[in-house]
Amino acid sequence: MKTLHAGERVWLVLNDRANRIEFQIEYAPATRSDTHETLMMYRVDHWVLKRSHRWPLGYYDELRQALDACALALGMPNFVTPATAPDGTIISPEEQRERWRAGLDPRTGRGRNDLSVA
């Protein structure tokens, strides 16, 4: 998953595997239906060329929450805490993300489909 800052308040989320835009995140006013108050929120839409055909994934208070929702929808786990490898070493969230993007198991560093035991 890659994120492009496309405008002052607009981000595009790309799917690495398909090489295409999957979501658009826009920081804009949103009105709550129950209280009718207007809040500034990050709106995540499934992206298609015609704006009228887009449908929302959700509304979020923070950009990090919006990006996490996109990653979850694309199938990438949410790496926010360090993990412990089978040998007892600690793997940072950044390293887990890099391993996942490379097609490896985030904890072991081996291929995700590799079922052999060390």
Side-chain angles (χ1 to χ4, degrees):
M1 180 178 98
K2 292 182 184 171
T3 306
L4 300 174
H5 197 170
E8 187 176 344
R9 296 180 177 187
V10 177
W11 295 263
L12 299 174
V13 178
L14 283 74
N15 184 347
D16 286 341
R17 301 201 191 283
N19 258 348
R20 65 178 182 180
I21 300 170
E22 294 287 340
F23 301 103
Q24 174 182 321
I25 302 172
E26 186 173 0
Y27 187 66
T31 305
R32 290 184 54 144
S33 60
D34 55 346
T35 62
H36 301 291
E37 64 182 324
T38 301
L39 305 168
M40 293 297 288
M41 299 190 84
Y42 291 91
R43 176 189 170 122
V44 180
D45 288 329
H46 290 268
W47 195 87
V48 291
L49 191 57
K50 290 183 95 175
R51 185 173 179 84
S52 61
H53 292 149
R54 294 180 192 160
W55 67 99
L57 177 68
Y59 293 86
Y60 304 92
D61 292 325
E62 298 175 4
L63 180 59
R64 179 80 257 156
Q65 293 172 338
L67 290 171
D68 288 344
C70 293
L72 189 61
L74 289 175
M76 185 172 125
N78 187 2
F79 302 111
V80 293
T81 58
T84 306
D87 63 357
T89 59
I90 302 297
I91 301 113
S92 69
E94 294 80 25
E95 189 175 350
Q96 292 177 59
R97 250 183 241 106
E98 289 307 313
R99 287 179 178 181
W100 181 268
R101 287 183 186 133
L104 304 173
D105 182 284
R107 291 184 59 222
T108 63
R110 286 191 239 123
R112 281 189 233 152
N113 298 327
D114 185 10
L115 300 176
S116 62
V117 178

